Amino acid sequence: MGPTDDAKKEVVSQLGELIKDISGLPECRNVSKELYSDLVRRVKLLRPLFEELEDRDEELSDDVVLGLEALKIAFIRAIELLRSVNEGSKNFQALQMDKIAVKFRQLTEHIEEALTQIPCDKLNISEEVREQIELVHVQFKRAMGRMHSPDLQLEMDLAMAQKEKDPDLSILKRLSKKLHLRTINDLKRESIAIHDMVISSDGVQDHCFETMSLILRKLKDCVVMGNPNFDASEDEKALIKHRSPVIPDDFRCPISLELMKDPVIVSTGQTYERSCIQKWLDAGHKTCPKTQQTLLHTALTPNYVLKSLIALWCESNGVELPKKQNNCSNSRSGAGGSDCDRAAIDALLQKLANGNSEQQRAAAGELRLLAKRNADNRVCIAEAGAIPLLVELLSSTDSRTQEHAVTALLNLSIHEANKGSIVNAGAIPDIVDVLKNGSMEARENAAATLFSLSVFDENKVAIGAAGAIPALINLLCQGTPRGKKDAATAIFNLSIYQGNKVRALKAGIVAPLMGLLKDAGGGMMDEALAILAILASHQEGKAAIGQAEPMPVLVEVIRTGSPRNRENAAALLWSLCTGDVQCLRIAKELGAEEVLKELSENGTDRAKRKAASVLELLQQVEAVCVS
């Protein structure tokens, strides 16, 4: 038995209300903005269909109603996804962008499938509405074929913000702008959002919470620095005078019920203040105080995530922060603090300086791991004098020792102050030599080290002069997928300096980049387009790229690529076509006008601008030909 007429009318009415709800959602102000806005825009375009169906009170066949029911389910899921994206942590959105993009893609497929089930030719609707619905259907179908393109600059900035103890201010400013965390109030709302996620623990791993807290702390420092007239402590103290902040239950130790300063995790997964649980264990207890479960072992694991969140809460509420240990004094084994063991580091350096080849290899490997572990270690290792010794080992004939040395320098370079020490120790020529002649692992890590050092403009010049560009191009051609990405990132950063553009062009970089561009399944199209676009800003680069006959692949990328790739391809096409009538004619013959018109309507903001500029050039050359 099919649905009644009342039920049919009800589903049409419900769909109309759901579209109103989606249309009324607030503007998205995080990195998911483009995905969010595209979905809302397309759904809003379906509104005339349901308004017309309601106005005409038309009888609907059962198959049409089935399609409408499927669409209703899709719209309900759309509201859930849109709200979760817009109301959650902005940090989390950025760190989980790939997974969020998959959810939008799955939802797009669901809506497109539902629209397929609605036979518009059987509906008594106007021709204008029918055409609009067909157009929207095409847009959803086209969106299914597009892969989300990552924001490489955002990913790079997030990585640097995590790795470096004191990231460059320009990185934090870009993140603050991109994540829409520009004011103290923005940051307080973000802190609350992260805290709510911790409480719900909605399938989010601990390391993700730790990363979000770390980035938020650094952004707060950046925002306060950018607002010198804002005295956070005085403002917050004034508020605290009138109210006593309520400590969240999750921040209290289950034993003492006091705010935890040094939270640790026992084998049952429960968290306690270190001193309290240690006293419990020292008294001979073998169970978890909260759950009464038998402890499998008595090891205590620092809960860095919760510690970071407690620190953020303390700062926001004017509560004295837990004391931090920033010195490099010796720490007791098993104490669990973040201080490095200076005596152990000194012993390793003795082996580096005076040991045999096996001792040097082992010591370099230990320092590599210690430098990777935390920021305190990176400071202590450098202060102990390790950098010159590691630089000497870059020339070792033992490949494993060389790998350990270059990777240790890479890890040490994460700390901003160490970059200068590495360069001053004369490391750049030796790192370039490893890049040319080392094992594949050593070459990859040498490329990553050069990228890290190239953050400073003066180092870009020195790295290029040392002959790094040809070696990076070789790695771009021969490396593993990871090695190719390391090489591409380094080349892109180095090419910001004009002299390195010339070096890259003389080394023949255009041909391998075109190869990567044509290899759609190679996963390097983003990087290839980004480097080609920066090279095209140089006249020699523009000429070299033009000789490689890039027009067919660029037009194809604009036609079928991801939003990011289409944007970069349009930008590169604009650079090549500006002032070049022959390029414009070739583009016209390849059907560029059609794909550019579509891009000017549906691309990103930058893509729309570039597409419009190229279209204008095409119209000008056509006018010249006609006259």
Side-chain angles (χ1 to χ4, degrees), residues 252-258 272-273 276-278 280 289-290:
R252 294 178 184 272
C253 173
I255 297 174
S256 68
L257 299 181
E258 297 294 329
Y272 298 91
E273 173 64 31
C276 295
I277 191 64
Q278 193 64 59
W280 171 267
K290 190 171 182 179

Side-chain angles (χ1 to χ4, degrees), residues 326-345:
N326 291 323
N327 62 322
C328 294
S329 58
N330 296 350
S331 59
R332 291 184 296 106
S333 177
S338 61
D339 296 351
C340 64
D341 190 334
R342 183 60 179 266
I345 289 172

Side-chain angles (χ1 to χ4, degrees), residues 88-106:
S89 160
K90 295 178 179 181
N91 257 312
F92 183 73
Q93 301 292 324
L95 293 168
Q96 301 288 313
M97 196 60 224
D98 288 345
K99 294 179 180 179
I100 291 168
V102 169
K103 290 182 180 180
F104 272 96
R105 180 181 175 82
Q106 291 170 343

